Amino acid sequence: MITVCDISALARWGEVGLAQRLGEPCPEPPDKAWSLASAAALEKIDLRGARIEATEARPLHILVSGEARRVRAPVVRCHIWSTALPPDALYQLTDEVLLASPAFCLQQMAARSSLARAVAVGTEICGRYARSPRAKDGFHRRPPLMTPDELVRRFADARGYGTRRAREAAAFVVTDSRSPMETVVVLLFTLPVEVGGCGLPAPRLNAVVEIPASLQLALGKPYLVVDLCWEELGIILEYESYLFHRTRQQIDSDSARNEGLRDLGWMVRSVTEGMLADPQMRRELVERVAARAGIRLPTDEGYWLRQEALVRELLTL
């Protein structure tokens, strides 16, 4: 038996409808039979039938019960779990393959993660995308696996390895992100200032914004959907990806949309990966958004260094 965990499990959970197909979590196999015994045992497991790959370029992350069961192979990354598994930890993917549940993935990964990385994992679980090395843009769309409230309840009274960090992270998880970069943007603005964030409340992601009839007529749309929206603060942020080449018509429409929203009193700012990576451009963006939100950010250089480290970490996840 083999137990797929960590980023390998989260990628496998990207299959739409997998949760419904697998049903309820399975009981923990007796005598830690969920742990792979040896590299030779790995060769006998039908990974192809489970739609899982293990290559040197994309090693398979698996859970093992102790150092003695760690597999020394370039196609595998082993993670030791020596205590009892949570009751909802495993799903039976095939007769030979167990899959770590989304919540257990967060717990297992949070144990050795920074707060930012743990929140990013939770936001992916509660988001509308799954990272996948096979996808054209590095991710593909799927419905959320859990809600932030479910994560909060799951770890509220939990004890054991990784639960403290998972509980801390669950409080900052945001729902409905549609891409890894959207997650980077929202976490930059919502994580606490102690780790380099801006400390804003969670926005609505992919939010519907009502517009007057005149703007509806100009845009040919009855409403607008924006990436990040702080309705009570009057702030809209739109992430602009380099991957999608806009036509002249799209550029004209976006310009009319943004000007129309500004006429209605919204602050509308576009965000690109380059703006996030550039310290001066990011600082300009952050300070303007914070000023509109009525938030006073720290002025010491240490804060901006923490923010630089935070953004660098989020961009390399």
Side-chain angles (χ1 to χ4, degrees):
M1 191 88 67
I2 189 173
T3 296
V4 179
C5 66
D6 206 276
I7 59 175
S8 298
L10 288 182
R12 190 63 185 83
W13 280 109
E15 178 188 330
V16 176
L18 181 63
Q20 291 74 17
R21 179 164 71 81
L22 296 185
E24 295 297 316
C26 63
E28 180 179 353
D31 301 322
K32 296 185 177 178
W34 50 264
S35 180
L36 189 69
S38 65
L42 176 63
E43 296 175 359
K44 299 178 182 178
I45 292 176
D46 180 17
L47 296 178
R48 184 182 296 274
R51 296 180 61 189
I52 287 171
E53 63 179 351
T55 66
E56 291 190 34
R58 302 185 182 109
L60 179 64
H61 291 251
I62 64 172
L63 209 64
V64 296
S65 59
E67 186 65 37
R69 292 204 170 190
R70 187 185 290 275
V71 177
R72 310 292 179 180
V75 300
V76 172
R77 296 288 183 272
C78 293
H79 303 271
I80 295 175
W81 192 274
S82 57
T83 61
L85 295 172
D88 61 349
L90 304 178
Y91 283 79
Q92 192 82 46
L93 186 60
T94 69
D95 290 342
E96 301 170 306
V97 180
L98 295 166
L99 189 66
S101 70
F104 183 47
C105 283
L106 175 58
Q107 180 179 343
Q108 174 243 328
M109 296 169 76
R112 62 185 194 283
S113 296
S114 66
L115 175 64
R117 182 171 187 265
V119 177
V121 171
T123 300
E124 179 178 341
I125 289 169
C126 297
R128 296 185 175 275
Y129 69 93
R131 296 175 187 267
S132 172
R134 293 184 176 184
K136 177 182 176 182
D137 302 324
F139 68 96
H140 59 260
R141 300 290 173 85
R142 58 131 173 85
L145 301 174
M146 299 181 72
T147 68
D149 286 345
E150 287 172 336
L151 282 180
V152 169
R153 289 194 297 271
R154 167 66 176 74
F155 294 110
D157 300 313
R159 297 290 181 269
Y161 186 66
T163 54
R164 185 173 68 175
R165 175 64 85 194
R167 181 164 50 250
E168 183 183 14
F172 295 101
V173 167
V174 180
T175 189
D176 282 339
S177 176
R178 292 185 298 184
S179 71
M181 281 305 304
E182 209 165 86
T183 294
V184 173
V185 176
V186 71
L187 296 191
L188 167 63
F189 285 98
T190 58
L191 284 174
V193 295
E194 290 78 10
V195 298
C198 299
L200 269 68
R204 287 192 299 138
L205 272 63
N206 309 301
V208 173
V209 175
E210 301 296 335
I211 54 177
S214 59
L215 191 54
Q216 292 180 30
L217 184 62
L219 298 177
K221 299 176 181 178
Y223 56 83
L224 296 176
V225 178
V226 299
D227 291 343
L228 281 73
C229 174
W230 287 268
E231 191 168 5
E232 68 283 4
L233 301 175
I235 300 171
I236 289 173
L237 297 182
E238 289 280 277
Y239 174 67
E240 303 287 351
S241 172
Y242 298 136
L243 297 175
F244 303 102
H245 301 286
R246 297 186 298 170
T247 65
R248 292 177 62 181
Q249 184 179 6
Q250 288 172 321
I251 293 172
D252 291 341
S253 177
D254 287 351
S255 179
R257 176 200 63 187
N258 292 345
E259 289 305 309
L261 287 169
R262 292 185 183 109
D263 288 343
L264 295 173
W266 291 94
M267 169 192 254
V268 183
R269 303 287 299 205
S270 295
V271 185
T272 66
E273 184 174 348
M275 292 172 64
L276 296 177
D278 183 276
Q280 294 304 318
M281 296 176 72
R282 184 180 65 249
R283 183 166 181 165
E284 170 74 9
L285 171 68
V286 163
E287 289 182 334
R288 284 183 176 271
V289 171
R292 176 63 180 253
I295 290 178
R296 181 173 295 178
L297 296 174
T299 58
D300 62 286
E301 191 59 27
Y303 168 69
W304 298 107
L305 291 174
R306 292 196 302 275
Q307 187 172 104
E308 177 71 19
L310 170 65
V311 171
R312 191 184 307 116
E313 179 180 20
L314 291 174
L315 288 175
T316 54
L317 290 178

